[in-house]
Amino acid sequence: MPSESSPPLGVRRNDVRRDPDAIDRRLLELLRDDARMPNARLAAEVGLAPSSCLARVRALVDAGVIAGFHAQLDPRALGLGLEALISVNIRSGARQTIAAFAEEVRALPEVTQVYFLGGAEDFILDVATRDSDHLREFVVENLSSHPSVASTRTSVVFEHTTPGLRIG
């Protein structure tokens, strides 16, 4: 008998894409703004019975529309008051090491997000550090000295807001 448990995050049970209707779009907006909203309140907000609301949310998860639920941490509250975006270019002779480099930087505690790009830069790293000394140390020890890295460019983030994906 097949298991009724959810598949691992990122693996879709139903790989058929569907266009969300107006109720689905409203559910997505509400969950984007507060993923901890109780199902009963979510159902009331969209005018559904709680069981129907839960079924719709599960269908959105199964279809891969909702990729996951998470807690958004505030780096400043954790003593990491300086955020920066670091553009990284990989040496042309080191292109075969791109996957290994990406895995290495993902494992660094200062790195909050990794973007692998097509364009002028190979990667942009979003990092959170205690202060400018910590940021300099991070760049020198983990990037500038890395054998695969050709160059870096660091931009300090003054303010970061996350509006979230707009549901249209």
Side-chain angles (χ1 to χ4, degrees):
M1 175 180 250
S3 170
E4 290 298 319
S5 65
S6 296
L9 196 57
V11 176
R12 294 184 184 108
R13 213 183 290 184
N14 175 4
D15 210 15
V16 176
R17 300 240 179 207
R18 66 183 182 93
D19 290 328
D21 64 15
I23 293 173
D24 289 340
R25 286 193 298 277
R26 182 67 181 135
L27 287 169
L28 293 169
E29 288 172 355
L30 291 165
L31 289 170
R32 176 201 61 216
D33 295 341
D34 181 5
R36 294 183 63 190
M37 183 179 291
N39 184 61
R41 186 167 146 224
L42 194 60
E45 289 280 339
V46 298
L48 290 176
S51 59
S52 297
C53 181
L54 185 58
R56 278 184 176 254
V57 171
R58 284 184 177 158
L60 290 165
V61 170
D62 287 347
V65 176
I66 297 175
F69 300 90
H70 70 279
Q72 184 172 336
L73 307 179
D74 182 351
R76 287 173 187 80
L78 296 169
L80 302 171
L82 183 63
E83 184 177 6
L85 298 176
I86 305 172
S87 301
V88 178
N89 287 315
I90 302 298
R91 288 185 309 105
S92 59
R95 297 285 175 202
Q96 69 278 8
T97 67
I98 285 178
F101 175 80
E103 285 304 311
E104 286 177 44
V105 296
R106 278 188 193 103
L108 298 171
E110 295 87 351
V111 176
T112 62
Q113 295 184 70
V114 176
Y115 299 91
F116 176 46
L117 308 172
E121 290 90 16
D122 294 310
F123 290 94
I124 292 182
L125 309 178
D126 187 341
V127 300
T129 60
R130 290 182 305 277
D131 51 32
S132 60
D133 288 338
H134 184 194
L135 177 60
R136 179 177 35 82
E137 178 183 307
F138 173 83
V139 172
V140 169
E141 290 184 13
N142 298 293
L143 302 176
S144 298
S145 64
H146 195 286
S148 297
V149 174
S151 65
T152 65
R153 186 183 56 184
T154 302
S155 299
V156 173
V157 175
F158 292 132
E159 184 177 345
H160 176 187
T161 58
T162 307
L165 182 64
R166 296 292 167 220
I167 313 304

